[in-house]
Amino acid sequence: MIHNNPFTSNTFTNLWLKQFNINKSYAFDFIKQLSFYKPNFLPVYINLGRNLTKGISYQITKSNVANLKSNACLIYDVPKYFNINTKEAPENLGLKKITQYPGFLITLKNYNNFNAYLNETFSKSSNQKLNRYRNRLERCFNIKEKMLIGSIDKAEYDFIFDHFKTLLTKRFEDKQITNNNLNPEEWQFYKDVVYPMILENKAALHVIYNEDTPISVRLLYFSDTIIFDAMTVFDIDYAKFHLGKISIMKMLEWSFNSPYEIFDFSKGYFDYKESWSDLKYEFEYHIYYNTKSLTATLLAYALAVVFKTKQYLRDKSINEKIHKLTFALNKKSKKTQVTIEELNIEEHPFKQETLREVKLDKQLAFLNKPVFDFLFLNSIHFNDLKIYKVQSKNQYLIKGTNKSQLVGVK
């Protein structure tokens, strides 16, 4: 049994009801620790939180199912490793389990420490690369990190969450795919619910900063024993530094020094999850129904067919194609194109009077990636760099200690 599941807490469920304008919730004696809402015109009860949770747990008891009548109960996102005990189910309670997304986790308690985990999970050369990436990032920038849990100033929270949204938007615009988390209603729910849950030690934000600017943000939830990695993003301008891997390393260092037993990467397949995890599992949708009701039985079968079909389409990557099509239909801006030309420091053809020194800002954001790539390749600190606008040309000169680079803009 999962104790203190953050997704069934009063804070999570009450704010979810408020955000999505649902006025009434329901509970059933045969399902403990779980509440439901009933959509209009549908004979089905759905767990509060719907598909915005990262793992629902509950308990079945031998109570009467008569009040379920001809309805069904649909429970989203039950991790198979939760091992929900359904053996105590009442005689007339039917259950259908539909396999959905894959999930991935690390069993923290199986390793003595973070280094032992790395040595068992990756080769020596891979570990050396990971350390080189981290050292290079810290050599080129003034990097710091924070784990924000238990207390956080509201102004700081808003500042981080606004950056979180900016980085997610930037990431998915680059991938040219829509992201459901950025749906205005969903995003507002996350912003509203995470702050009080941080104060309750049920959620956290792990943030990596360059100076005072967040460049990587992870949203985490906590049960008594599990860390749920709910949402993560890093600034794609730092991609050369493998910032995504560095973020995982720093997060796991904290996790292995914590009392938690499992780090759960949660639902959905990504290469990095498979690489870093030591267990792959499955999420299931559970459908309960009164077997004495023909209507409820047919409804349960129909729901099972719908979700099996959706998973089939997901396996065929149809959903990803739909997200890309949706993005293309809503595309509003054209990406700035840059060209790169390597120059020796003494060979750049510009006189000093034709150059005007500039600083990176929002207007010059298209220079971030070529500048950061230049820092990575030449292993120099950002403060030792000069950036110049070439007068009368749409070009910028990046000047380091030994090398320079010309960036053209289209």
Side-chain angles (χ1 to χ4, degrees), residues 47-317:
N47 65 286
L48 301 188
R50 197 177 167 96
N51 58 348
L52 297 189
T53 79
K54 303 300 176 182
I56 283 294
S57 56
Y58 61 91
Q59 184 180 2
I60 291 293
T61 64
K62 284 186 177 296
S63 299
N64 196 306
V65 301
N67 60 340
L68 188 57
K69 299 179 181 178
S70 58
N71 300 284
C73 281
L74 169 60
I75 304 171
Y76 279 85
D77 295 335
V78 182
K80 203 167 184 177
Y81 78 93
F82 278 12
N83 296 318
I84 303 296
N85 183 3
T86 59
K87 294 179 181 178
E88 298 297 316
E91 182 180 351
N92 300 327
L93 187 66
L95 169 62
K96 288 193 170 296
K97 297 181 179 181
I98 301 95
T99 300
Q100 292 290 290
Y101 304 86
F104 300 84
L105 61 80
I106 301 169
T107 312
L108 301 172
K109 63 181 181 180
N110 286 351
Y111 307 91
N112 291 330
N113 51 48
F114 177 57
N115 286 332
Y117 158 78
L118 285 179
N119 291 333
E120 289 190 39
T121 306
F122 300 105
S123 67
K124 184 178 179 180
S125 62
S126 294
N127 281 327
Q128 289 173 341
K129 285 181 182 178
L130 290 171
N131 285 320
R132 279 201 300 270
Y133 297 147
R134 176 165 57 182
N135 292 338
R136 185 65 60 91
L137 179 71
E138 294 172 352
R139 187 180 302 137
C140 295
F141 303 99
N142 296 328
I143 297 297
K144 60 184 178 181
E145 66 174 308
K146 284 185 182 179
M147 173 63 85
L148 299 162
I149 182 173
S151 65
I152 181 175
D153 179 77
K154 186 60 165 60
E156 182 183 12
Y157 173 80
D158 290 339
F159 171 77
I160 292 169
F161 232 85
D162 288 344
H163 271 272
F164 198 0
K165 184 179 181 181
T166 298
L167 292 177
L168 272 173
T169 302
K170 182 177 175 181
R171 177 74 181 105
F172 283 90
E173 283 183 353
D174 182 71
K175 293 177 72 172
Q176 297 194 339
I177 190 170
T178 56
N179 180 273
N180 291 337
N181 293 326
L182 291 169
N183 174 287
E185 277 193 323
E186 284 193 22
W187 188 258
Q188 191 60 52
F189 167 69
Y190 286 124
K191 189 171 184 181
D192 290 345
V193 79
V194 171
Y195 181 72
M197 291 185 75
I198 287 177
L199 302 182
E200 297 168 353
N201 291 298
K202 291 185 173 71
L205 291 171
H206 178 259
V207 189
I208 299 176
Y209 300 82
N210 175 12
E211 298 287 358
D212 295 318
T213 301
I215 61 174
S216 172
V217 185
R218 304 187 85 89
L219 167 58
L220 308 154
Y221 294 103
F222 302 90
S223 74
D224 282 359
T225 56
I226 302 169
I227 303 170
F228 298 92
D229 191 20
M231 198 188 319
T232 180
V233 70
F234 65 89
D235 191 334
I236 58 174
D237 290 336
Y238 295 80
K240 199 80 170 178
F241 291 87
H242 297 264
L243 183 54
K245 293 176 181 176
I246 295 170
S247 173
I248 295 174
M249 287 180 69
K250 289 180 177 290
M251 181 65 255
L252 290 180
E253 282 180 310
W254 184 91
S255 301
F256 275 96
N257 288 320
S258 76
Y260 297 98
E261 298 177 359
I262 290 172
F263 185 90
D264 191 336
F265 285 107
S266 193
K267 59 186 176 184
Y269 178 85
F270 289 96
D271 289 342
Y272 78 87
K273 293 184 180 183
E274 192 161 52
S275 298
W276 289 82
S277 68
D278 61 12
L279 177 68
K280 180 180 179 180
Y281 65 92
E282 294 169 334
F283 278 84
E284 296 176 335
Y285 290 175
H286 290 180
I287 303 170
Y288 285 97
Y289 59 100
N290 184 350
T291 57
K292 286 191 172 182
S293 166
L294 177 61
T295 300
T297 302
L298 292 175
L299 175 63
Y301 274 84
L303 286 171
V305 169
V306 168
F307 288 121
K308 286 178 182 178
T309 302
K310 289 182 71 173
Q311 184 57 34
Y312 172 81
L313 296 175
R314 201 177 289 127
D315 290 339
K316 298 297 182 181
S317 300

